[in-house]
Amino acid sequence: MNEQHYDAIIIGSGAGGSACAYNLVQAGKRVLLLEKGGHLPTDGSTLDVQQVFVKERFKNKEPWRNANDKTLTPGEYYNVGGKTKWYGAVLLRFAPHEFVADPDFQCLGWPISYADLEPFYTQAEQLLQINHFDHEPQLGRFIKRITQADKSWRVKSLPLGLKKDILDHTDEAKHFDGFASPGAYKADAEQNLLSYLADNPLFQLLPYKEVSALLSDKKHPAKITGVSNTDGENYYADTVILAAGAMSSPRILQKYLQQNGLDKTLPSAPLVGAHFKLHLNSALLGFSLFPQRDVLRKTAIFFNEAFPHSSVQCLGWMDGEMLSTQLPKWLPAFVTNALGARAYGFFVTTEDGSSPDNRIIGQGDLPKLDYKLKRIPASVAEHRSIIRGFKTRLLQAGFLSVSQQMGLDATAHALGSMVTGNDPASSVVDAYGKVHGFDNLYVADGSVLPRSSRVNPGLTIYAWGLRLGRYLAAL
């Protein structure tokens, strides 16, 4: 059994866990980072459409149940760097008003303000080396047709965690959106945070280490002493930080609460797993009469204040091979190739309100993702409205369009299953990420987010993790 003792053990190497580790190690703390998966290959297979989307070689294979007790397989990733390796190229800040409660839309408020997180947004942007790219010619003309004809639509340049020289590597430029970069052209937690800690004697990363239980002195269950892994190894630390993601971290805590009887006594225990969110996301494809030749494409995001909780951002490269993964297999290649060459993709995102009944349930024969759209009617109504509105604009710009809402297995933006707040009766962690009722257990991942905003949550999770690391280092 391993008897080494650390200042902190972090479970999970995604955005929040890696960010927290970075600031802790920089402050001189001894940190152990445990990751369930391993390092991704760099042989080019993570850019291969067949490997990534058809065979789903790199995705989670573990089954779950949905609210109707049907089996589903969430699109999670267990590898060093977590989902930041696959997504995370778009790195937007939440707006200041999105830290405030919006009861009409079922949105909880944060116990902190935008100003509290702003310094860590700045640090995250510097570490991730964010760039803005010029809009390519066809997208530039499309933006003008959309915004000049209807002034209610406004466009912003997307801040991207991409190196400028990705444009010199066509295969990487065409396959950064939903792919992992073997050439390190995309910012992610491994390349931009952990690689800088690799040679530091204070830091240890152990891949293929799945945590099975939290450890404590049985006489003092509120003080966590370490973790136990499925391989039988135990590790010990002064502080333990959950950062396994909004679908895994609450299950680890639920198991501990149940085994130690705290599920009946802690005021926040019933909320562990509750208020789960994952955005309402739809893929929208616009088809032109003319071939679309832009390569990077994902450089613009559209807003319209008629839809204050929603946004539309461009998707990356589309061609027949990519399109064929979403179409019936009997369609001949010449059809999918013709359609793919004329397709431009968009990602429509709407903030989902917080329902306590939308939750992660870890106990039972299979973990359960209990999430129903009928519990968040305002989100559903706005999502449908913005899709209708943008399709109208696309038609007027010369594009026929189709859309498809992402299913429950699309969990790229999983958030909110252990929300932060000041009151233990209505939240799971406090304003600094400490689990209510515990002495030394913290949460660094997206499960703390009480709101999902209308944009990708990656940068906010990085910022939360950096803030937590700075806070713990000062204790």
Side-chain angles (χ1 to χ4, degrees):
M1 303 294 283
N2 194 300
E3 295 296 334
Q4 285 186 302
H5 193 93
Y6 300 85
D7 293 315
I9 292 173
I10 301 175
I11 305 167
S13 65
S18 294
C20 186
Y22 182 87
N23 269 355
L24 280 169
V25 174
Q26 295 298 321
K29 300 298 182 181
R30 192 158 183 259
V31 175
L32 173 65
L33 181 58
L34 301 175
E35 169 54 49
K36 179 177 179 179
H39 295 274
L40 290 173
T42 57
D43 58 2
S45 57
T46 59
L47 300 180
D48 188 305
V49 174
Q50 295 299 310
Q51 294 286 331
V52 174
F53 288 105
V54 179
K55 296 180 181 179
E56 297 187 330
R57 170 183 165 186
F58 304 102
K59 274 189 177 181
N60 160 61
K61 301 294 190 298
E62 299 172 4
W64 285 54
R65 293 177 296 131
N66 65 15
N68 299 316
D69 286 326
K70 303 294 184 182
T71 301
L72 79 154
T73 305
E76 294 292 284
Y77 289 92
Y78 303 119
N79 51 256
V80 175
K83 285 187 280 191
T84 72
K85 301 290 291 187
W86 300 96
Y87 307 113
V90 172
L91 295 162
L92 290 151
R93 299 185 180 200
F94 286 9
H97 73 270
E98 291 170 329
F99 285 78
V100 179
D102 184 352
D104 292 339
F105 211 79
Q106 297 175 258
C107 294
L108 303 175
W110 291 68
I112 63 174
S113 69
Y114 173 87
D116 294 314
L117 210 57
E118 196 280 332
F120 303 98
Y121 272 138
T122 299
Q123 185 188 11
E125 289 167 343
Q126 292 169 346
L127 289 168
L128 297 165
Q129 301 174 356
I130 288 175
N131 285 303
H132 289 262
F133 291 77
D134 293 335
H135 302 312
E136 292 162 297
Q138 287 176 313
L139 177 59
R141 292 192 291 271
F142 170 80
I143 289 171
K144 286 183 180 179
R145 290 199 296 270
I146 292 291
T147 57
Q148 289 181 356
D150 185 346
K151 300 297 184 183
S152 66
W153 290 98
R154 55 188 178 87
V155 67
K156 288 187 176 182
S157 172
L158 279 175
L160 296 173
L162 296 177
K163 294 179 179 177
K164 286 285 189 178
D165 56 355
I166 194 174
L167 296 174
D168 299 326
H169 303 270
T170 304
D171 199 34
E172 291 264 11
K174 288 181 175 179
H175 299 99
F176 75 88
D177 193 10
F179 298 84
S181 172
Y185 293 102
K186 183 165 74 172
D188 61 58
E190 181 186 21
Q191 293 294 333
N192 292 68
L193 295 165
L194 300 183
S195 66
Y196 293 102
L197 305 180
D199 296 327
N200 193 314
L202 295 174
F203 177 70
Q204 187 175 15
L205 166 65
L206 295 181
Y208 300 111
K209 288 289 185 178
E210 181 179 0
V211 170
S212 58
L214 300 175
L215 303 175
S216 69
D217 181 336
K218 293 300 181 182
K219 295 181 180 179
H220 305 284
K223 183 175 177 61
I224 303 300
T225 57
V227 301
S228 181
N229 292 289
T230 55
D231 61 7
E233 290 283 351
N234 293 343
Y235 300 93
Y236 301 92
D238 296 331
T239 300
V240 174
I241 301 152
L242 294 169
M247 298 186 69
S248 295
S249 288
R251 293 158 55 201
I252 295 172
L253 182 52
Q254 286 171 346
K255 180 180 178 181
Y256 180 82
L257 294 175
Q258 186 178 59
Q259 289 177 340
N260 290 272
L262 297 176
D263 56 330
K264 307 298 184 184
T265 59
L266 277 185
S268 63
L271 293 176
V272 177
H275 298 113
F276 178 75
K277 294 175 286 296
L278 71 169
H279 276 143
L280 274 66
N281 288 315
S282 288
L284 194 159
L285 289 178
F287 295 94
S288 171
L289 293 174
F290 308 102
Q292 303 298 301
R293 297 184 177 87
D294 291 345
V295 175
L296 202 65
R297 303 192 183 199
K298 196 182 180 99
T299 59
I301 184 168
F302 296 87
F303 298 100
N304 188 322
E305 289 312 310
F307 316 107
H309 297 87
S310 302
S311 65
V312 180
Q313 64 182 255
C314 298
L315 288 173
W317 172 260
M318 178 60 64
D319 60 15
E321 184 181 24
M322 291 282 290
L323 188 60
S324 68
T325 64
Q326 305 300 317
L327 294 176
K329 295 185 183 300
W330 52 261
L331 275 177
F334 76 88
V335 174
T336 57
N337 288 338
L339 289 171
R342 290 161 175 78
Y344 225 99
F346 302 91
F347 198 54
V348 185
T349 296
T350 300
E351 178 170 16
D352 42 351
S354 288
S355 167
D357 296 323
N358 283 340
R359 60 170 56 236
I360 301 295
I361 302 171
Q363 307 308 309
D365 57 333
L366 292 176
K368 187 172 185 177
L369 176 48
D370 188 348
Y371 183 97
K372 292 183 178 180
L373 292 175
K374 69 179 184 181
R375 296 168 181 159
I376 47 171
S379 301
V380 173
E382 181 169 317
H383 192 65
R384 291 173 178 169
S385 294
I386 191 173
I387 289 174
R388 287 195 300 268
F390 200 70
K391 279 185 173 181
T392 299
R393 295 302 314 133
L394 283 174
L395 184 61
Q396 293 169 342
F399 286 80
L400 294 174
S401 60
V402 295
S403 63
Q404 177 65 54
Q405 187 167 339
M406 303 297 184
L408 195 56
D409 57 344
T411 55
H413 295 179
L415 303 167
S417 50
M418 295 196 289
V419 297
T420 178
N422 292 320
D423 184 359
S426 59
S427 61
V428 177
V429 306
D430 69 14
Y432 286 99
K434 186 169 76 170
V435 178
H436 292 306
F438 282 80
D439 297 338
N440 62 336
L441 181 64
Y442 292 79
V443 183
D445 58 38
S447 61
V448 305
L449 271 62
R451 293 191 61 168
S452 60
S453 173
R454 56 179 171 177
V455 299
N456 310 45
L459 189 70
T460 300
I461 299 171
Y462 278 115
W464 174 270
L466 290 168
R467 179 175 177 267
L468 175 57
R470 183 77 56 82
Y471 170 76
L472 291 175
L475 292 181

